[in-house]
Amino acid sequence: RAWLQDHAPPGSAILVERYGPEPDPKTYRVLYLPFHSVTPHLYDPAYSPALYTAFDYVVLSAEVHARYLAKPREYPAQIQFYAALEQGFREVASFSPGDYLGPEIRILERRRDVELRELTEIPESFFRNLAGVRPVAEYFSTLGALLADHGRADLGRFLLQHAVEMDPENAHTWGNLGTVQLQEARHEEALNSLRKAFDLDPADPRVSYNLATLYQRMGEARQAEEAYGTAIQHDPNFEAAYLGLARVLVEADRYARARLVLQEFLDRFPRSGRRDQAEAALRELARMGPGRP
């Protein structure tokens, strides 16, 4: 973990095997490679090398992969995955157990001089055969969201679209797809995805918040206000929802209500990193009169 902090640039995408270090999620885009000790073949589809060509680092723990390498006939998907890693990534650090109990840890860095198969080259049949496999659909959804956040919205959207097709009754996958579409200003598509996520799980505050953000961008102030309120109702500690609601109220010239929301934010979150922002907004509102009721 210390090696990564010293060598991996902030914002790097890091794939990590379990039973290894836990990179700082505030500094890096971290994804944990899934495995299931009871049904070990459940996540075989996650061991497709093309899923990870946009990652910068892979952290391997012998506590996991040694199990597969010891039985190559039983785990062909994993064997091919690790062989592909050795071709597309180069080892930059390794840590043996030494005098302590524990697995060997290896850190691999993406080789830029080697072209690997792209995610979009995975055949459609690969995803069709996974229809109804919720754990894999959720993993692909998480991976898709990470790829989009890492600057590969094309890959993220591609994978998220397949995730919702694999499990169309999953609110989490629809929510992630809608979030990426919102980031890309694909407003009509985002509205469709986020509404489906809300219908499936109306108590998820993140979906309500993203819907509110979308409505605000579309100029639908009343719907945005309602959605921000729903997000706060389901998660009273959702800081960004208070600030979003205050912005909507200011845009609607409802200054008195906006002041109340900002004051509630300051009272509820005295140590928030956004406190200065809220205080500045309150000072500005003090010069703007009462506004509409």
Side-chain angles (χ1 to χ4, degrees), residues 129-152:
N129 292 335
L130 295 171
V133 186
R134 172 159 290 190
V136 176
E138 290 185 339
Y139 176 71
F140 284 175
S141 175
T142 301
L143 172 56
L146 183 147
L147 290 171
D149 189 47
H150 194 45
R152 294 302 306 269

Side-chain angles (χ1 to χ4, degrees), residues 4-215:
L4 288 168
Q5 290 174 338
D6 291 340
H7 296 84
S12 297
I14 305 177
L15 180 67
V16 185
E17 278 191 315
R18 293 292 182 180
Y19 299 104
E22 298 182 359
D24 182 4
K26 295 181 180 179
T27 304
Y28 304 110
R29 297 176 176 92
V30 182
L31 181 73
Y32 289 93
L33 188 64
F35 83 102
H36 198 287
S37 58
V38 178
T39 54
H41 291 290
L42 173 64
Y43 287 110
D44 281 1
Y47 286 82
S48 175
L51 295 170
Y52 310 107
T53 53
F55 278 71
D56 303 298
Y57 295 90
V58 177
V59 182
L60 298 177
S61 169
E63 184 71 17
V64 176
H65 62 259
R67 311 178 188 194
Y68 301 128
L69 297 178
K71 300 178 180 179
R73 292 185 179 179
E74 187 175 347
Y75 300 107
Q78 286 79 1
I79 297 302
Q80 293 177 14
F81 170 75
Y82 293 114
L85 285 184
E86 298 296 342
Q87 293 178 357
F89 292 76
R90 63 184 181 92
E91 182 179 298
V92 289
S94 64
F95 305 88
S96 61
D99 296 330
Y100 303 94
L101 295 175
E104 179 187 28
I105 303 296
R106 299 175 63 215
I107 300 178
L108 311 181
E109 183 179 31
R110 178 76 166 88
R111 293 182 57 180
R112 304 302 172 184
D113 60 330
V114 175
E115 290 189 10
L116 297 177
R117 183 187 185 194
E118 274 281 6
L119 168 59
T120 52
E121 297 176 33
I122 297 177
E124 294 292 321
S125 58
F126 173 84
F127 298 103
R128 285 198 301 269
N129 292 335
L130 295 171
V133 186
R134 172 159 290 190
V136 176
E138 290 185 339
Y139 176 71
F140 284 175
S141 175
T142 301
L143 172 56
L146 183 147
L147 290 171
D149 189 47
H150 194 45
R152 294 302 306 269
D154 56 332
L155 299 183
R157 189 171 8 91
F158 173 85
L159 195 55
L160 284 161
Q161 188 62 57
H162 282 293
V164 298
E165 292 170 359
M166 289 164 55
D167 188 7
E169 299 302 312
N170 192 316
H172 177 71
T173 57
W174 279 112
N176 279 345
L177 176 59
T179 300
V180 172
Q181 292 166 334
L182 174 60
Q183 292 169 348
E184 293 186 289
R186 304 163 76 99
H187 291 162
E188 291 300 326
E189 295 175 32
L191 183 60
N192 177 63
S193 298
L194 291 171
R195 279 178 171 171
K196 287 184 178 179
F198 183 82
D199 289 342
L200 291 166
D201 186 6
D204 187 339
R206 296 166 299 179
V207 172
S208 294
Y209 176 83
N210 285 328
L211 271 172
T213 302
L214 177 58
Y215 286 135

Side-chain angles (χ1 to χ4, degrees), residues 225 232 241-243 245-247 249-250 254-269 278 281-283 285-286 289-290 292-293:
E225 178 183 350
I232 293 171
Y242 290 86
L243 298 178
L245 176 56
R247 282 193 295 270
L249 293 168
V250 169
R254 298 176 61 189
Y255 305 142
R257 172 65 177 144
R259 290 191 196 96
L260 291 176
V261 172
L262 289 170
Q263 189 58 57
E264 183 179 359
F265 174 89
L266 293 172
D267 293 341
R268 186 178 289 274
F269 309 109
L282 267 178
R283 289 193 297 271
L285 283 172
R292 293 204 298 266

